[in-house]
Amino acid sequence: MEKKLNEVVVIDGVRTAFGKAGEKGIFWKTRADDLAVALLRALIQRNPKVLPDRIEDSIWGVTNQVKEQGGTLGRSVPMLADWGWEVPGCSIDRMCASGLTAIGFGVGYIATGMADCLLTGGVEHMGHVPMGFMRDPHPLSEAVMGGPSAFNMGMTAENIHARFPEFTREKADRYALSSQKKADSAIQAGKMKQMIVPVEVERADGTRVVIEKDQQPRPETSMESLAGLKSVFKENGQVTAGNASGLNDGAGAVVLMSEKKAEALGLEPKMRWVATAVAAVDPTIMGTAPVPATLKALDKAGLTMGDLGVIEINEAFAVQALYCLDRLGLGEEDPRVNIWGGSLAFGHPLAASGPRLVTFLMNLFKENADARYGLTTMCVGRGQGYSIIWENMQR
Ligand SMILES: CC(C)(COP(=O)(O)OP(=O)(O)OC[C@H]1O[C@@H](n2cnc3c(N)ncnc32)[C@H](O)[C@@H]1OP(=O)(O)O)[C@@H](O)C(=O)NCCC(=O)NCCS
């Protein structure tokens, strides 16, 4: 029996502001699941035709599924958002690409006819549930993954510097500065307002405040200030707090639908899924994996890098972004790449970053009508890359 795939479209994407992890963070007194709930409420308000009872599953990426992030967060957040008992849910872990994988799995679900309307998202409160918290790696893991550096993301970035010395500290700092400057221009131009859901939180002194701005960006960054920072993961290394993404708290969510359902409801979808690919590499240089993942996705789509008008690559570390851009044939200043800046400026609350990239792309497509196709791609701890190619429906 021959089966046809359904077209899958993005209806909307939102995120919270991204906070710094830790006691000085804007979300220190806010739970991860409450960040997700705020997005559910906003999505329904923004899209009156997307009713909770139309949502057939709530698929959430969460890297560390313990404490407030455990207990199948994807199932609990719809109930916490007062959507009732009828929305099923699950949680997915592919480390940094957990949220992008939630979207990718949601796409597959709809394409194969298992559902018509899904909520997908990602959340990480790195302040409450730090990276690696309560993990118990197998005694053989270091040996099979190429050594202890596979477990320290900063060291995987140092390894890229060491193995590919053409990507120097100066180039990494220049790239980080550019990310900060692009982010600042976008923030000043009000681009974040369309995607950030205001969240009311409690402050350390017990008073309440509405958070609607990212805490991580450092617009005052300069080459001089970056050059003055010491390496943090290795003595005399090249990875610093300035050319690494931060430790952050945040959430992002995306509504996916079959194109047929969107048409039936009279909705205006923002972009259409084209191809997804995941690939794996040596875990000690995990940041290089977006290259094979992207090449594989392009191959599936029958496209080339030249066909992509907007490119959203997660910046876990400047050096890995530089490596990927170079190996994908892009210059470090390619105008299609991270037009509004990236995770070096906004921060990287692991599972929340995938939905952030998709939400950025969705909004960038609106402003870049010439762009027919776009890419969202991320590297993942333990050596994976995840790429999704999308088609602009706002042209
Ligand atoms: C790199 C890392 C250890 C830095 O942590 P941190 O010390 O808490 O970072 P901070 O943001 O407080 O920065 C430390 C100092 O560096 C300096 N600094 C950071 N970014 C800077 C910038 N862009 N320009 C100038 N100075 C900067 C500041 O002096 C800052 O101190 P201040 O906040 O008092 O001004 C942490 O962000 C990290 O582990 N990042 C990687 C996360 C990761 O692995 N994610 C997964 C990816 S796969």
Side-chain angles (χ1 to χ4, degrees), residues 121-258:
V123 60
E124 208 78 41
H125 200 302
M126 298 175 81
H128 293 174
V129 193
M131 276 201 293
F133 181 71
M134 284 184 70
R135 214 169 272 156
D136 178 19
H138 191 284
L140 291 178
S141 329
E142 272 190 20
V144 298
M145 291 195 202
S149 64
F151 290 83
N152 178 328
M153 295 305 104
M155 277 306 299
T156 67
E158 287 288 2
N159 290 340
I160 299 178
H161 272 297
R163 284 191 218 175
F164 309 99
E166 67 268 34
F167 303 110
T168 60
R169 160 83 186 264
E170 195 198 339
K171 280 190 180 169
D173 284 353
R174 197 179 327 124
Y175 183 84
L177 176 65
S178 160
S179 184
Q180 293 282 1
K181 295 293 169 208
K182 287 190 281 187
D184 188 45
S185 303
I187 292 165
Q188 296 308 326
K191 307 291 186 197
M192 297 303 121
K193 286 189 188 142
Q194 59 199 326
M195 65 178 91
I196 293 184
V197 168
V199 182
E200 193 185 307
V201 303
E202 186 183 332
R203 283 195 283 217
D205 63 4
T207 57
R208 297 190 75 79
V209 63
V210 173
I211 300 297
E212 46 198 344
K213 283 192 185 142
D214 296 305
Q215 189 178 19
Q216 185 77 14
R218 290 177 180 269
E220 71 288 358
T221 303
S222 65
M223 278 305 277
E224 294 69 39
S225 64
L226 288 171
L229 297 175
K230 288 214 168 78
S231 62
V232 274
F233 299 101
K234 172 178 163 185
E235 212 170 316
N236 298 322
Q238 314 197 53
V239 181
T240 69
N243 62 34
S245 61
L247 300 167
N248 302 95
D249 311 326
V254 168
V255 174
L256 298 174
M257 233 181 233
S258 66

